[in-house]
Amino acid sequence: MKVDVLLGLQWGDEGKGKIVDVLAPKYDVVARFQGGPNAGHTLEFDGIKHVLHQIPSGIFREKTRNIIGNGVVLDPIIFRSEIEKLAKYRLNVRSNLFISKKATLIVPTHRLLDQAYEKAKGDDKIGSTLKGIGPSYQDKIGRQGLRVGDVLSVNFDAKFKKLTDIHLEILKKHDIEFNWNELQAQFFSAIEFLKEFNLIDSEYFINDVLNDNRSVLAEGAQGSLLDIDFGSYPFVTSSNTVTAGACTGLGIAPSRIGEVYGIFKAYSTRVGSGPFPTELMDAEGERMRKEGNEFGSTTGRPRRCGWIDLPSLKYSIMINGVTQLLMMKADVLNSFPIIKVCTHYKLNDGSITETLPYEIVNEKIVPIYHELPGWQTPITGTSEADLPHNLLSYISFLERSLNVPISLISIGPDRSQTVLRSKIGV
Ligand code: GDP
Ligand code: IMO
Ligand code: MG
C-alpha cells in the first residue's frame, strides 16, 4: 500500500485535524511527520470539541493506530497534559499510540531560548508559538539534540545536563526569568510518564504496515507557506511541512507516496508575523475573523484574515504534488455578497505575475482580484446537490484555475458537516 499525505496549503489552521479525523476510519495508521506542540488540530463530533497538539488526529478512532514520527519534536510535558486531557474519553492510548525513538525531545530550555530569541528580534519577531520548536530543530540539525530513545539510556540525565548546560550559558545573556529546579523536576517526571508508552523504531513499523497491504495517512502540521525552505523565510516554522517532509519524517521512500490531499480554506488566514498579500485590515477582515472564529488553537491569538490567494496556492500545489484538493470553511463566506479571488500579484516595479517572487518580505505586493457573486444563504444538507449555485460556481472557478479536483467541501466544524464530492480515502 501507499502512504496518503494530508497537508495544509496555506499558513496552517486549514482544518487538518477535522479532516484527518473524518478520514481516519479508512486508514490503519495515522502518522504525524513534523512539527510539534506549535500545532493545534481541532476535532469536533458528538458535542465534543478537542484540540490536539502532538498526538495524531486519528486517536479518537478505535481501530486506527497513531504514530508520532521521527520528524516530530516532542515536548514530554505537553505530551503528558495531552494524554491527561484525553483520559475522560477512555481511549486505548497505551495500545494504539506509538512514538518514534528517533523523534527529537523538546527540553524546557528550548522554550526559554525561543522566548529569548524572539525578544531579541524586537519588531522583527517571527510571532513564534514559543513552544521551543526553532531551538529544538536547531539542536537536531546541530547534532547535539536529545531523542526520545535516549530516555531509555542509563546516562540520560548526563546527556540532558550536557545539552541544557549549553542552553543555560546562552540564557545568561538574556533577560529571561525561570526556576530551573522546578523546570527540571517537571521534565523528569514527564519523562517517566513518557516511558510508559510504546517507544518504537517507527520506520520499520510503518514499512511493515505498508508491506502488509495496510494503509497509512500522514498528517501534516502547519502549512506549506510556513515551510522552512519554501515558506516566506524567515517568517516560517523550522521544519519541512511539504510532502517531502513525510518521507524524511517517517522513513518512507518517495515511491511510497500515494494521494496528496491539499487542504485549504475558502479564504486565507495567518497567525504570527510575515507577508500576507491578501490580508484585509478592514471591517471585511474583521467579519471573516468573527464568522470563522479565527483565533489560534494553540495560542488563542487572533488570526489575520484575507481573500484566497491563487498564486500561493498554485505554488503549494506544485511543491507538494497535490492530487486532490479539500476546501474548508466554505460556510464562513455565507454572508458575503462578493467573493474575491486573488489571481495575480502586482509588484513594486509594476509587473504582473502569478508566481511567488523571491523577495516576498520587502516587496509591496498588490493583489489583483477576480470577483464572483456570493451565495448569501446558509448551507444545509451534506450532499453536493444541497450546495448553493454560487458556491458551486466558486468551486468550479477554483478547480479550473488550480487544475486539481476539489473532492471535499467542509461546511462547518463538526465531523458531520462534510460534503464528499468523490470517493476519497482508501
Ligand atoms: P488545523 O490546525 O489545520 O487542524 O486547524 P485548526 O483546528 O487550528 O483550525 C481550524 C478551525 O476551524 C477549528 O476551530 C475547526 O473546528 C474549525 N473548522 C474546521 N472546518 C470548518 C468548517 O468547515 N467550517 C467552520 N466554520 N469551521 C471549521
Ligand atoms: P497547525 O498545525 C498556524 C506559525 C507561528 C509563527 C510561525 C513560527 O495548527 O496548522 P513556531 O512556533 O513554529 O516557531 O512559529 O509559524 N505557526 C502556525 N500557524 N498553525 C500552526 O500549526 C502553526 N505552527 C506554527 O504562528 O508565525
Ligand atoms: Mg491549528
PDB file of all heavy atoms in Angstrom, residues 11-14 16 32 38-41 114 126-134 220-223 226 235-238 270-273 297-298 301 303, ligand 2:
ATOM      1  N   TRP A  11      -1.150  28.960   5.455  1.00  0.00           N
ATOM      2  CA  TRP A  11      -0.268  29.241   6.594  1.00  0.00           C
ATOM      3  C   TRP A  11      -0.704  28.472   7.846  1.00  0.00           C
ATOM      4  O   TRP A  11      -0.572  28.953   8.962  1.00  0.00           O
ATOM      5  CB  TRP A  11      -0.242  30.740   6.879  1.00  0.00           C
ATOM      6  CG  TRP A  11       0.515  31.549   5.862  1.00  0.00           C
ATOM      7  CD1 TRP A  11       1.874  31.708   5.783  1.00  0.00           C
ATOM      8  CD2 TRP A  11      -0.037  32.336   4.797  1.00  0.00           C
ATOM      9  NE1 TRP A  11       2.204  32.524   4.730  1.00  0.00           N
ATOM     10  CE2 TRP A  11       1.055  32.926   4.109  1.00  0.00           C
ATOM     11  CE3 TRP A  11      -1.334  32.593   4.343  1.00  0.00           C
ATOM     12  CZ2 TRP A  11       0.877  33.766   3.005  1.00  0.00           C
ATOM     13  CZ3 TRP A  11      -1.506  33.421   3.251  1.00  0.00           C
ATOM     14  CH2 TRP A  11      -0.407  33.989   2.601  1.00  0.00           C
ATOM     15  N   GLY A  12      -1.231  27.290   7.667  1.00  0.00           N
ATOM     16  CA  GLY A  12      -1.664  26.489   8.813  1.00  0.00           C
ATOM     17  C   GLY A  12      -3.123  26.740   9.169  1.00  0.00           C
ATOM     18  O   GLY A  12      -3.791  27.615   8.584  1.00  0.00           O
ATOM     19  N   ASP A  13      -3.639  25.910  10.089  1.00  0.00           N
ATOM     20  CA  ASP A  13      -5.009  26.035  10.600  1.00  0.00           C
ATOM     21  C   ASP A  13      -6.068  25.897   9.510  1.00  0.00           C
ATOM     22  O   ASP A  13      -7.155  26.478   9.608  1.00  0.00           O
ATOM     23  CB  ASP A  13      -5.192  27.389  11.331  1.00  0.00           C
ATOM     24  CG  ASP A  13      -4.203  27.550  12.461  1.00  0.00           C
ATOM     25  OD1 ASP A  13      -3.829  26.529  13.061  1.00  0.00           O
ATOM     26  OD2 ASP A  13      -3.814  28.701  12.746  1.00  0.00           O
ATOM     27  N   GLU A  14      -5.774  25.130   8.484  1.00  0.00           N
ATOM     28  CA  GLU A  14      -6.728  24.953   7.387  1.00  0.00           C
ATOM     29  C   GLU A  14      -7.898  24.056   7.791  1.00  0.00           C
ATOM     30  O   GLU A  14      -8.937  24.042   7.125  1.00  0.00           O
ATOM     31  CB  GLU A  14      -6.020  24.347   6.161  1.00  0.00           C
ATOM     32  CG  GLU A  14      -4.947  25.235   5.523  1.00  0.00           C
ATOM     33  CD  GLU A  14      -3.570  25.035   6.156  1.00  0.00           C
ATOM     34  OE1 GLU A  14      -3.485  24.344   7.198  1.00  0.00           O
ATOM     35  OE2 GLU A  14      -2.594  25.592   5.602  1.00  0.00           O
ATOM     36  N   LYS A  16      -6.926  20.703   9.227  1.00  0.00           N
ATOM     37  CA  LYS A  16      -6.318  19.371   9.036  1.00  0.00           C
ATOM     38  C   LYS A  16      -6.851  18.365  10.060  1.00  0.00           C
ATOM     39  O   LYS A  16      -7.176  17.234   9.720  1.00  0.00           O
ATOM     40  CB  LYS A  16      -4.777  19.475   9.160  1.00  0.00           C
ATOM     41  CG  LYS A  16      -4.151  20.387   8.108  1.00  0.00           C
ATOM     42  CD  LYS A  16      -2.664  20.570   8.312  1.00  0.00           C
ATOM     43  CE  LYS A  16      -2.302  21.400   9.525  1.00  0.00           C
ATOM     44  NZ  LYS A  16      -2.664  22.822   9.442  1.00  0.00           N
ATOM     45  N   ARG A  32       1.921  11.477  12.348  1.00  0.00           N
ATOM     46  CA  ARG A  32       2.435  12.857  12.266  1.00  0.00           C
ATOM     47  C   ARG A  32       3.905  12.788  11.863  1.00  0.00           C
ATOM     48  O   ARG A  32       4.640  11.950  12.377  1.00  0.00           O
ATOM     49  CB  ARG A  32       2.324  13.530  13.642  1.00  0.00           C
ATOM     50  CG  ARG A  32       1.005  14.237  13.937  1.00  0.00           C
ATOM     51  CD  ARG A  32       0.880  15.617  13.303  1.00  0.00           C
ATOM     52  NE  ARG A  32       1.935  16.537  13.689  1.00  0.00           N
ATOM     53  CZ  ARG A  32       1.890  17.357  14.739  1.00  0.00           C
ATOM     54  NH1 ARG A  32       0.829  17.379  15.520  1.00  0.00           N
ATOM     55  NH2 ARG A  32       2.904  18.180  15.001  1.00  0.00           N
ATOM     56  N   ASN A  38       3.618  23.281  18.486  1.00  0.00           N
ATOM     57  CA  ASN A  38       3.153  24.524  17.835  1.00  0.00           C
ATOM     58  C   ASN A  38       1.835  24.279  17.113  1.00  0.00           C
ATOM     59  O   ASN A  38       1.062  25.191  16.876  1.00  0.00           O
ATOM     60  CB  ASN A  38       4.215  25.088  16.873  1.00  0.00           C
ATOM     61  CG  ASN A  38       4.771  24.053  15.897  1.00  0.00           C
ATOM     62  OD1 ASN A  38       4.517  22.854  16.023  1.00  0.00           O
ATOM     63  ND2 ASN A  38       5.553  24.515  14.942  1.00  0.00           N
ATOM     64  N   ALA A  39       1.562  23.033  16.748  1.00  0.00           N
ATOM     65  CA  ALA A  39       0.318  22.690  16.050  1.00  0.00           C
ATOM     66  C   ALA A  39      -0.853  22.678  17.025  1.00  0.00           C
ATOM     67  O   ALA A  39      -0.691  22.366  18.205  1.00  0.00           O
ATOM     68  CB  ALA A  39       0.461  21.308  15.410  1.00  0.00           C
ATOM     69  N   GLY A  40      -2.022  23.007  16.504  1.00  0.00           N
ATOM     70  CA  GLY A  40      -3.262  22.868  17.269  1.00  0.00           C
ATOM     71  C   GLY A  40      -4.306  22.358  16.295  1.00  0.00           C
ATOM     72  O   GLY A  40      -4.724  23.091  15.400  1.00  0.00           O
ATOM     73  N   HIS A  41      -4.663  21.097  16.405  1.00  0.00           N
ATOM     74  CA  HIS A  41      -5.579  20.469  15.446  1.00  0.00           C
ATOM     75  C   HIS A  41      -6.909  20.175  16.132  1.00  0.00           C
ATOM     76  O   HIS A  41      -6.966  19.394  17.076  1.00  0.00           O
ATOM     77  CB  HIS A  41      -4.956  19.183  14.875  1.00  0.00           C
ATOM     78  CG  HIS A  41      -3.742  19.452  14.031  1.00  0.00           C
ATOM     79  ND1 HIS A  41      -3.034  18.468  13.389  1.00  0.00           N
ATOM     80  CD2 HIS A  41      -3.125  20.615  13.710  1.00  0.00           C
ATOM     81  CE1 HIS A  41      -2.037  19.016  12.723  1.00  0.00           C
ATOM     82  NE2 HIS A  41      -2.060  20.314  12.907  1.00  0.00           N
ATOM     83  N   ASP A 114      13.518  30.021  22.884  1.00  0.00           N
ATOM     84  CA  ASP A 114      12.552  30.549  21.913  1.00  0.00           C
ATOM     85  C   ASP A 114      12.126  31.957  22.347  1.00  0.00           C
ATOM     86  O   ASP A 114      12.119  32.907  21.551  1.00  0.00           O
ATOM     87  CB  ASP A 114      11.326  29.615  21.884  1.00  0.00           C
ATOM     88  CG  ASP A 114      10.799  29.366  20.477  1.00  0.00           C
ATOM     89  OD1 ASP A 114      11.291  30.014  19.549  1.00  0.00           O
ATOM     90  OD2 ASP A 114       9.907  28.514  20.312  1.00  0.00           O
ATOM     91  N   ILE A 126       9.282  36.625  14.785  1.00  0.00           N
ATOM     92  CA  ILE A 126       8.579  35.705  13.880  1.00  0.00           C
ATOM     93  C   ILE A 126       7.111  35.563  14.284  1.00  0.00           C
ATOM     94  O   ILE A 126       6.255  35.268  13.459  1.00  0.00           O
ATOM     95  CB  ILE A 126       9.246  34.290  13.942  1.00  0.00           C
ATOM     96  CG1 ILE A 126      10.764  34.363  13.723  1.00  0.00           C
ATOM     97  CG2 ILE A 126       8.593  33.300  12.987  1.00  0.00           C
ATOM     98  CD1 ILE A 126      11.198  34.810  12.366  1.00  0.00           C
ATOM     99  N   GLY A 127       6.841  35.794  15.557  1.00  0.00           N
ATOM    100  CA  GLY A 127       5.490  35.532  16.058  1.00  0.00           C
ATOM    101  C   GLY A 127       5.363  34.057  16.396  1.00  0.00           C
ATOM    102  O   GLY A 127       4.298  33.443  16.238  1.00  0.00           O
ATOM    103  N   SER A 128       6.469  33.470  16.862  1.00  0.00           N
ATOM    104  CA  SER A 128       6.504  32.038  17.192  1.00  0.00           C
ATOM    105  C   SER A 128       5.481  31.701  18.262  1.00  0.00           C
ATOM    106  O   SER A 128       5.100  32.558  19.071  1.00  0.00           O
ATOM    107  CB  SER A 128       7.907  31.690  17.703  1.00  0.00           C
ATOM    108  OG  SER A 128       7.896  30.467  18.389  1.00  0.00           O
ATOM    109  N   THR A 129       5.083  30.438  18.285  1.00  0.00           N
ATOM    110  CA  THR A 129       4.173  29.975  19.340  1.00  0.00           C
ATOM    111  C   THR A 129       4.931  29.810  20.666  1.00  0.00           C
ATOM    112  O   THR A 129       4.331  29.503  21.689  1.00  0.00           O
ATOM    113  CB  THR A 129       3.544  28.614  18.968  1.00  0.00           C
ATOM    114  OG1 THR A 129       4.605  27.665  18.797  1.00  0.00           O
ATOM    115  CG2 THR A 129       2.741  28.701  17.679  1.00  0.00           C
ATOM    116  N   LEU A 130       6.251  29.978  20.633  1.00  0.00           N
ATOM    117  CA  LEU A 130       7.119  29.899  21.829  1.00  0.00           C
ATOM    118  C   LEU A 130       7.093  28.516  22.489  1.00  0.00           C
ATOM    119  O   LEU A 130       7.252  28.395  23.693  1.00  0.00           O
ATOM    120  CB  LEU A 130       6.750  30.983  22.849  1.00  0.00           C
ATOM    121  CG  LEU A 130       6.824  32.425  22.350  1.00  0.00           C
ATOM    122  CD1 LEU A 130       6.430  33.397  23.460  1.00  0.00           C
ATOM    123  CD2 LEU A 130       8.220  32.763  21.830  1.00  0.00           C
ATOM    124  N   LYS A 131       6.925  27.498  21.682  1.00  0.00           N
ATOM    125  CA  LYS A 131       6.912  26.124  22.211  1.00  0.00           C
ATOM    126  C   LYS A 131       8.290  25.472  22.120  1.00  0.00           C
ATOM    127  O   LYS A 131       8.427  24.276  22.369  1.00  0.00           O
ATOM    128  CB  LYS A 131       5.883  25.274  21.455  1.00  0.00           C
ATOM    129  CG  LYS A 131       4.465  25.805  21.514  1.00  0.00           C
ATOM    130  CD  LYS A 131       3.894  25.689  22.911  1.00  0.00           C
ATOM    131  CE  LYS A 131       2.485  26.269  22.967  1.00  0.00           C
ATOM    132  NZ  LYS A 131       2.002  26.457  24.322  1.00  0.00           N
ATOM    133  N   GLY A 132       9.287  26.214  21.678  1.00  0.00           N
ATOM    134  CA  GLY A 132      10.645  25.647  21.620  1.00  0.00           C
ATOM    135  C   GLY A 132      10.944  24.929  20.314  1.00  0.00           C
ATOM    136  O   GLY A 132      11.901  24.145  20.225  1.00  0.00           O
ATOM    137  N   ILE A 133      10.144  25.209  19.292  1.00  0.00           N
ATOM    138  CA  ILE A 133      10.277  24.477  18.021  1.00  0.00           C
ATOM    139  C   ILE A 133      11.613  24.808  17.333  1.00  0.00           C
ATOM    140  O   ILE A 133      12.396  23.898  17.007  1.00  0.00           O
ATOM    141  CB  ILE A 133       9.091  24.828  17.073  1.00  0.00           C
ATOM    142  CG1 ILE A 133       7.749  24.572  17.757  1.00  0.00           C
ATOM    143  CG2 ILE A 133       9.222  24.111  15.740  1.00  0.00           C
ATOM    144  CD1 ILE A 133       7.458  23.154  18.145  1.00  0.00           C
ATOM    145  N   GLY A 134      11.880  26.108  17.117  1.00  0.00           N
ATOM    146  CA  GLY A 134      13.119  26.506  16.432  1.00  0.00           C
ATOM    147  C   GLY A 134      14.352  25.988  17.164  1.00  0.00           C
ATOM    148  O   GLY A 134      15.198  25.291  16.568  1.00  0.00           O
ATOM    149  N   GLY A 220       0.006  16.215   8.131  1.00  0.00           N
ATOM    150  CA  GLY A 220       0.905  17.362   8.191  1.00  0.00           C
ATOM    151  C   GLY A 220       0.521  18.299   9.324  1.00  0.00           C
ATOM    152  O   GLY A 220      -0.608  18.291   9.813  1.00  0.00           O
ATOM    153  N   ALA A 221       1.487  19.105   9.725  1.00  0.00           N
ATOM    154  CA  ALA A 221       1.201  20.200  10.655  1.00  0.00           C
ATOM    155  C   ALA A 221       1.674  21.490   9.983  1.00  0.00           C
ATOM    156  O   ALA A 221       2.419  21.460   9.006  1.00  0.00           O
ATOM    157  CB  ALA A 221       1.926  19.983  11.975  1.00  0.00           C
ATOM    158  N   GLN A 222       1.226  22.619  10.499  1.00  0.00           N
ATOM    159  CA  GLN A 222       1.487  23.925   9.902  1.00  0.00           C
ATOM    160  C   GLN A 222       0.966  23.925   8.455  1.00  0.00           C
ATOM    161  O   GLN A 222       0.016  23.233   8.169  1.00  0.00           O
ATOM    162  CB  GLN A 222       2.979  24.305   9.955  1.00  0.00           C
ATOM    163  CG  GLN A 222       3.484  24.616  11.361  1.00  0.00           C
ATOM    164  CD  GLN A 222       3.714  23.396  12.230  1.00  0.00           C
ATOM    165  OE1 GLN A 222       4.468  22.497  11.862  1.00  0.00           O
ATOM    166  NE2 GLN A 222       3.069  23.338  13.378  1.00  0.00           N
ATOM    167  N   GLY A 223       1.631  24.667   7.567  1.00  0.00           N
ATOM    168  CA  GLY A 223       1.164  24.733   6.180  1.00  0.00           C
ATOM    169  C   GLY A 223       2.354  24.952   5.271  1.00  0.00           C
ATOM    170  O   GLY A 223       3.453  25.312   5.735  1.00  0.00           O
ATOM    171  N   LEU A 226       4.521  27.964   5.429  1.00  0.00           N
ATOM    172  CA  LEU A 226       5.362  28.103   6.632  1.00  0.00           C
ATOM    173  C   LEU A 226       6.553  27.152   6.558  1.00  0.00           C
ATOM    174  O   LEU A 226       7.316  27.018   7.520  1.00  0.00           O
ATOM    175  CB  LEU A 226       4.546  27.794   7.897  1.00  0.00           C
ATOM    176  CG  LEU A 226       3.489  28.816   8.319  1.00  0.00           C
ATOM    177  CD1 LEU A 226       2.638  28.256   9.466  1.00  0.00           C
ATOM    178  CD2 LEU A 226       4.142  30.134   8.749  1.00  0.00           C
ATOM    179  N   PHE A 235       9.972  34.172   8.070  1.00  0.00           N
ATOM    180  CA  PHE A 235       8.715  34.065   8.831  1.00  0.00           C
ATOM    181  C   PHE A 235       8.064  32.702   8.571  1.00  0.00           C
ATOM    182  O   PHE A 235       7.023  32.606   7.910  1.00  0.00           O
ATOM    183  CB  PHE A 235       7.784  35.227   8.476  1.00  0.00           C
ATOM    184  CG  PHE A 235       8.405  36.555   8.819  1.00  0.00           C
ATOM    185  CD1 PHE A 235       8.986  37.341   7.837  1.00  0.00           C
ATOM    186  CD2 PHE A 235       8.448  36.993  10.130  1.00  0.00           C
ATOM    187  CE1 PHE A 235       9.585  38.549   8.148  1.00  0.00           C
ATOM    188  CE2 PHE A 235       9.038  38.197  10.462  1.00  0.00           C
ATOM    189  CZ  PHE A 235       9.620  38.980   9.471  1.00  0.00           C
ATOM    190  N   VAL A 236       8.700  31.688   9.060  1.00  0.00           N
ATOM    191  CA  VAL A 236       8.310  30.305   8.794  1.00  0.00           C
ATOM    192  C   VAL A 236       8.471  29.491  10.081  1.00  0.00           C
ATOM    193  O   VAL A 236       8.967  30.009  11.077  1.00  0.00           O
ATOM    194  CB  VAL A 236       9.198  29.695   7.685  1.00  0.00           C
ATOM    195  CG1 VAL A 236       8.960  30.378   6.351  1.00  0.00           C
ATOM    196  CG2 VAL A 236      10.688  29.789   8.055  1.00  0.00           C
ATOM    197  N   THR A 237       8.128  28.226  10.017  1.00  0.00           N
ATOM    198  CA  THR A 237       8.453  27.341  11.116  1.00  0.00           C
ATOM    199  C   THR A 237       9.773  26.645  10.777  1.00  0.00           C
ATOM    200  O   THR A 237      10.387  26.943   9.747  1.00  0.00           O
ATOM    201  CB  THR A 237       7.291  26.357  11.412  1.00  0.00           C
ATOM    202  OG1 THR A 237       7.575  25.704  12.655  1.00  0.00           O
ATOM    203  CG2 THR A 237       7.101  25.329  10.309  1.00  0.00           C
ATOM    204  N   SER A 238      10.217  25.703  11.601  1.00  0.00           N
ATOM    205  CA  SER A 238      11.573  25.178  11.406  1.00  0.00           C
ATOM    206  C   SER A 238      11.604  23.763  10.837  1.00  0.00           C
ATOM    207  O   SER A 238      12.593  23.056  10.991  1.00  0.00           O
ATOM    208  CB  SER A 238      12.334  25.222  12.736  1.00  0.00           C
ATOM    209  OG  SER A 238      12.399  26.556  13.177  1.00  0.00           O
ATOM    210  N   ARG A 270      -3.580  33.829   8.583  1.00  0.00           N
ATOM    211  CA  ARG A 270      -2.207  33.647   9.020  1.00  0.00           C
ATOM    212  C   ARG A 270      -2.128  34.113  10.470  1.00  0.00           C
ATOM    213  O   ARG A 270      -2.732  35.140  10.821  1.00  0.00           O
ATOM    214  CB  ARG A 270      -1.288  34.498   8.120  1.00  0.00           C
ATOM    215  CG  ARG A 270       0.139  34.477   8.570  1.00  0.00           C
ATOM    216  CD  ARG A 270       1.141  34.991   7.535  1.00  0.00           C
ATOM    217  NE  ARG A 270       2.428  34.438   7.954  1.00  0.00           N
ATOM    218  CZ  ARG A 270       3.518  34.391   7.252  1.00  0.00           C
ATOM    219  NH1 ARG A 270       3.535  34.888   6.033  1.00  0.00           N
ATOM    220  NH2 ARG A 270       4.606  33.849   7.732  1.00  0.00           N
ATOM    221  N   VAL A 271      -1.379  33.409  11.277  1.00  0.00           N
ATOM    222  CA  VAL A 271      -1.174  33.863  12.657  1.00  0.00           C
ATOM    223  C   VAL A 271       0.325  34.018  12.850  1.00  0.00           C
ATOM    224  O   VAL A 271       1.103  33.225  12.336  1.00  0.00           O
ATOM    225  CB  VAL A 271      -1.866  32.898  13.660  1.00  0.00           C
ATOM    226  CG1 VAL A 271      -1.357  31.485  13.566  1.00  0.00           C
ATOM    227  CG2 VAL A 271      -1.759  33.396  15.094  1.00  0.00           C
ATOM    228  N   GLY A 272       0.727  35.108  13.510  1.00  0.00           N
ATOM    229  CA  GLY A 272       2.156  35.417  13.600  1.00  0.00           C
ATOM    230  C   GLY A 272       2.533  36.430  12.522  1.00  0.00           C
ATOM    231  O   GLY A 272       1.677  36.866  11.743  1.00  0.00           O
ATOM    232  N   SER A 273       3.842  36.787  12.478  1.00  0.00           N
ATOM    233  CA  SER A 273       4.273  37.840  11.546  1.00  0.00           C
ATOM    234  C   SER A 273       4.526  37.272  10.148  1.00  0.00           C
ATOM    235  O   SER A 273       4.476  36.069   9.950  1.00  0.00           O
ATOM    236  CB  SER A 273       5.561  38.491  12.044  1.00  0.00           C
ATOM    237  OG  SER A 273       5.646  38.472  13.443  1.00  0.00           O
ATOM    238  N   SER A 297      -5.644  28.009  17.797  1.00  0.00           N
ATOM    239  CA  SER A 297      -5.990  26.834  18.617  1.00  0.00           C
ATOM    240  C   SER A 297      -4.916  26.553  19.658  1.00  0.00           C
ATOM    241  O   SER A 297      -5.155  25.877  20.641  1.00  0.00           O
ATOM    242  CB  SER A 297      -6.120  25.594  17.741  1.00  0.00           C
ATOM    243  OG  SER A 297      -6.855  25.851  16.602  1.00  0.00           O
ATOM    244  N   THR A 298      -3.689  27.074  19.446  1.00  0.00           N
ATOM    245  CA  THR A 298      -2.596  26.828  20.382  1.00  0.00           C
ATOM    246  C   THR A 298      -2.362  28.024  21.285  1.00  0.00           C
ATOM    247  O   THR A 298      -2.141  27.885  22.478  1.00  0.00           O
ATOM    248  CB  THR A 298      -1.305  26.485  19.595  1.00  0.00           C
ATOM    249  OG1 THR A 298      -1.543  25.269  18.886  1.00  0.00           O
ATOM    250  CG2 THR A 298      -0.104  26.292  20.512  1.00  0.00           C
ATOM    251  N   ARG A 301      -4.288  33.552  19.849  1.00  0.00           N
ATOM    252  CA  ARG A 301      -4.098  34.858  19.197  1.00  0.00           C
ATOM    253  C   ARG A 301      -5.105  35.039  18.057  1.00  0.00           C
ATOM    254  O   ARG A 301      -5.432  34.062  17.369  1.00  0.00           O
ATOM    255  CB  ARG A 301      -2.686  34.935  18.594  1.00  0.00           C
ATOM    256  CG  ARG A 301      -1.583  34.994  19.622  1.00  0.00           C
ATOM    257  CD  ARG A 301      -0.211  35.018  18.954  1.00  0.00           C
ATOM    258  NE  ARG A 301       0.095  33.759  18.292  1.00  0.00           N
ATOM    259  CZ  ARG A 301       1.206  33.529  17.591  1.00  0.00           C
ATOM    260  NH1 ARG A 301       2.087  34.482  17.434  1.00  0.00           N
ATOM    261  NH2 ARG A 301       1.409  32.364  17.030  1.00  0.00           N
ATOM    262  N   ARG A 303      -6.326  35.468  14.438  1.00  0.00           N
ATOM    263  CA  ARG A 303      -5.656  35.185  13.160  1.00  0.00           C
ATOM    264  C   ARG A 303      -5.919  36.324  12.189  1.00  0.00           C
ATOM    265  O   ARG A 303      -7.027  36.878  12.164  1.00  0.00           O
ATOM    266  CB  ARG A 303      -6.184  33.873  12.569  1.00  0.00           C
ATOM    267  CG  ARG A 303      -5.845  32.658  13.426  1.00  0.00           C
ATOM    268  CD  ARG A 303      -6.436  31.384  12.811  1.00  0.00           C
ATOM    269  NE  ARG A 303      -6.189  30.220  13.652  1.00  0.00           N
ATOM    270  CZ  ARG A 303      -7.061  29.224  13.823  1.00  0.00           C
ATOM    271  NH1 ARG A 303      -8.227  29.236  13.208  1.00  0.00           N
ATOM    272  NH2 ARG A 303      -6.757  28.210  14.602  1.00  0.00           N
TER     273      ARG A 303
HETATM  274  P1  IMO B   2      -1.226  23.948  12.739  1.00  0.00           P
HETATM  275  O1  IMO B   2      -0.642  22.565  12.602  1.00  0.00           O
HETATM  276  C1  IMO B   2      -0.674  28.237  12.229  1.00  0.00           C
HETATM  277  C2  IMO B   2       3.319  29.835  12.934  1.00  0.00           C
HETATM  278  C3  IMO B   2       3.504  30.734  14.146  1.00  0.00           C
HETATM  279  C4  IMO B   2       4.639  31.616  13.658  1.00  0.00           C
HETATM  280  C5  IMO B   2       5.488  30.648  12.831  1.00  0.00           C
HETATM  281  C6  IMO B   2       6.649  30.051  13.609  1.00  0.00           C
HETATM  282  O2  IMO B   2      -2.213  24.096  13.829  1.00  0.00           O
HETATM  283  O3  IMO B   2      -1.721  24.417  11.404  1.00  0.00           O
HETATM  284  P2  IMO B   2       6.920  28.295  15.592  1.00  0.00           P
HETATM  285  O4  IMO B   2       6.182  28.147  16.870  1.00  0.00           O
HETATM  286  O5  IMO B   2       6.826  27.124  14.680  1.00  0.00           O
HETATM  287  O6  IMO B   2       8.327  28.778  15.795  1.00  0.00           O
HETATM  288  O7  IMO B   2       6.196  29.524  14.840  1.00  0.00           O
HETATM  289  O8  IMO B   2       4.634  29.596  12.427  1.00  0.00           O
HETATM  290  N1  IMO B   2       2.737  28.513  13.240  1.00  0.00           N
HETATM  291  C7  IMO B   2       1.480  28.170  12.953  1.00  0.00           C
HETATM  292  N2  IMO B   2       0.481  28.892  12.418  1.00  0.00           N
HETATM  293  N3  IMO B   2      -0.864  26.937  12.501  1.00  0.00           N
HETATM  294  C8  IMO B   2       0.132  26.192  13.014  1.00  0.00           C
HETATM  295  O9  IMO B   2       0.040  24.848  13.178  1.00  0.00           O
HETATM  296  C9  IMO B   2       1.368  26.821  13.308  1.00  0.00           C
HETATM  297  N4  IMO B   2       2.541  26.394  13.836  1.00  0.00           N
HETATM  298  C10 IMO B   2       3.376  27.445  13.780  1.00  0.00           C
HETATM  299  O10 IMO B   2       2.341  31.456  14.429  1.00  0.00           O
HETATM  300  O11 IMO B   2       4.136  32.585  12.770  1.00  0.00           O
END
